[in-house]
């Protein structure tokens, strides 16, 4: 078994995270339970920031909070000197309630409502990443009404590069719901409209080419496509970008098949390429912004479940069910995401059988892991599923009226509850009786 961060095995032979016994965590807080290795989140954040600092490149590392947004997580991001991406009024509200500095918040999304944009402007957030022409008009109408001081905007462009896990696709025009196309003239039109409008301060351009990406090529190609256009626009419109935001999508290791590269390697290759492109086209070096989500919190999260019923299908497989499932981790059902797991009460025991881990929801597709080698399991073992820190809690739902699990942060031998377990009463808090 491969352990990472502060995860290991303690003297009792139990899984330990952040110096805390995982079996004891399950006993004290119940299961299912999301556990986060705070030291690992800090390490990842520093990994992204350090290379920019060492090379003296002006930068912002913005945590894409959609990966895991809670008050405590937002506060941790602030402690680590990160900026913050939000994509909805709810994520923005969370950030503001957590006391996150508004000027370091960036607002994304392809259909921000008038109310959400007003909330962002009223609270003086750092920048709005404009996605489409509709949003330009909406913002203009809000500015006419509110007459704010200038608002900082980035324009989201689609550079015609789609990066996938192990490859990238060059498409002339990108068929995506996000952003202004760089190749067909839409991005240029958006730029000229934004530059003409007195309430906008155009900070620069943004792109986000995909997710769970394991190589730098896609980022470098995106930078190349954008800087080529910037060179053109410098001559045509005297526009010099202050910010080049290359988005997130840095891959993590879910299973042994995944081979991620270090945050510092992404950053140093991006810096090298952007520097060389700017020299080549005789442009001033912009600030580089990046937006890691998954890669900051993904492998720092572990979900603990209790095992329950099992079913043998002779000659086919054994199903072993846990007390959670697609309600706390929808990724396997949504996109065949793969995970590894151990029994937290005996993580080093020899594997004796291959089982498939089922959730408890009323869907045949509610499977967490297919064909997992496990030691002989007994009733009420604690199953620890690794790398559930991103898009787990944030995509959790109440299907089958299953309350959402709590979240515990562990660090230096201490556990602190940062999200309470939902109660049955919580489930009913919005319900009204039939009149
Ligand atoms: C989702 C998203 C990210 C983060 O993606 P990860 O794969 O979690 O790193 C960054 N930027 C934008 C605009 C996004 O939509």
């Amino acid at each position: 078994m491969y352990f990472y961060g502060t995860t290991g095995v303690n003297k009792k032979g139990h899984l330990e995270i952040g110096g805390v016994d995982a079996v004891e965590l399950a006993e004290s807080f119940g299961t299912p339970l999301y556990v986060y290795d705070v030291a690992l989140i800090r390490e990842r954040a520093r990994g992204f920031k350090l290379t920019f600092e060492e090379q003296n490149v002006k930068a912002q590392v913005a945590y894409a909070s959609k990966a895991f947004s809670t008050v405590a997580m937002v506060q941790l991001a602030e402690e680590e000197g990160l900026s913050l991406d939000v994509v909805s009024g709810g994520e923005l509200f969370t950030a503001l309630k957590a006391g996150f500095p508004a000027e370091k918040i960036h607002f994304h999304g392809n259909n921000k409502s008038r109310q959400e944009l007003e909330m962002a402007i009223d609270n003086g957030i750092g920048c709005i990443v404009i996605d489409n022409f509709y949003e330009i008009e909406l913002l203009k109408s809000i500015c006419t009404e509110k007459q704010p001081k200038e608002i900082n905007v980035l324009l989201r462009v689609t550079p015609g590069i789609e990066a996938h896990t192990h490859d990238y696709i060059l498409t002339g025009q990108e068929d995506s719901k996000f952003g202004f196309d760089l190749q067909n003239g839409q991005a240029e039109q958006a730029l000229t409209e934004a530059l003409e409008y007195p309430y906008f301060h155009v900070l620069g351009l943004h792109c986000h080419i995909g997710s769970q990406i394991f190589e730098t090529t896609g980022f470098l190609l995106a930078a190349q496509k954008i800087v080529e256009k910037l060179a053109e626009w410098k001559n045509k419109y005297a526009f010099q970008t202050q910010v080049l935001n290359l988005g997130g999508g840095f891959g993590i290791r879910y299973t042994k098949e995944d081979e991620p590269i270090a945050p510092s390697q992404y950053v140093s290759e991006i810096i090298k390429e952007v520097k060389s492109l700017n020299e080549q086209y005789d442009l001033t070096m912009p600030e580089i912004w990046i937006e890691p989500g998954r890669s900051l919190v993904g492998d720092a999260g572990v979900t603990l479940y209790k095992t329950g019923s099992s079913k043998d299908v002779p000659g086919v497989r054994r199903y072993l069910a846990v007390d959670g499932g697609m309600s706390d981790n929808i990724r396997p059902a949504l996109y065949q995401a793969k995970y590894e797991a151990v029994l937290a009460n005996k993580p080093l025991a020899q594997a004796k059988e291959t089982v498939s881990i089922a959730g408890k929801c009323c869907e045949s597709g509610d499977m967490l892991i297919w064909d997992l080698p496990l030691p002989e399991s007994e009733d009420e073992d604690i199953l620890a599923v690794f790398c559930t820190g991103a898009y787990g809690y944030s995509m959790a739902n109440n299907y089958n009226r299953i309350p959402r699990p709590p979240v515990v942060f562990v660090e230096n031998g201490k556990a602190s509850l940062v999200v309470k377990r939902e109660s049955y009463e919580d489930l009913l808090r919005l319900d009204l009786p039939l009149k």
Side-chain angles (χ1 to χ4, degrees), residues 59-80:
Q60 281 191 37
V61 177
Y63 168 52
S65 70
K66 71 178 188 219
F68 170 55
S69 168
T70 75
V71 166
M73 181 58 220
V74 166
Q75 290 171 337
L76 180 58
E78 207 223 329
E79 268 187 23
E80 289 303 319

Side-chain angles (χ1 to χ4, degrees), residues 37 40 42 95 126 148 154 209 219 239 283 309 325 335 352 358 380:
D37 176 353
L40 186 56
R42 296 192 196 281
L154 288 179
I209 56 172
F219 296 98
F239 172 70
L283 303 169
S309 71
Y335 24 70
K352 284 271 169 57
E380 305 216 335

Side-chain angles (χ1 to χ4, degrees), residues 62 64 66-67 85 87 108-109 129 156 178 206-208 210-213 245 247-251 290-296 390-391:
K66 71 178 188 219
D85 279 4
V87 295
H108 282 278
V129 186
R156 177 168 183 161
F178 294 110
H206 166 275
C207 72
H208 173 70
S211 233
Q212 188 63 349
I213 303 167
N245 186 331
F250 313 104
I290 55 168
E291 309 176 310
R294 184 193 316 273
S295 51
L296 283 173
Y391 308 105

Side-chain angles (χ1 to χ4, degrees), residues 1-4 7-8 14-17 21-23 25-26 31-35 254 301-307 320 322-323 329 339-347 357 368-369 372-375 380-388:
M1 184 59 215
Y2 161 91
F3 294 124
Y4 50 89
T7 299
H14 291 173
L15 190 73
E16 180 182 90
I17 310 161
D21 187 310
V23 178
L25 283 171
T31 53
L33 177 69
Y34 297 105
V35 181
Y254 285 100
V302 172
T303 310
L304 303 178
Y305 300 97
K306 205 169 282 165
T307 63
L320 177 63
V322 294
D323 54 358
N329 186 357
Y339 291 93
E340 287 174 351
V342 298
L343 293 179
N345 44 318
K346 42 184 169 183
I357 306 297
L368 288 174
I369 305 176
L372 174 72
L374 270 194
E380 305 216 335
D381 275 327
I382 302 298
L383 184 81
V385 178
F386 296 110
C387 295
T388 58

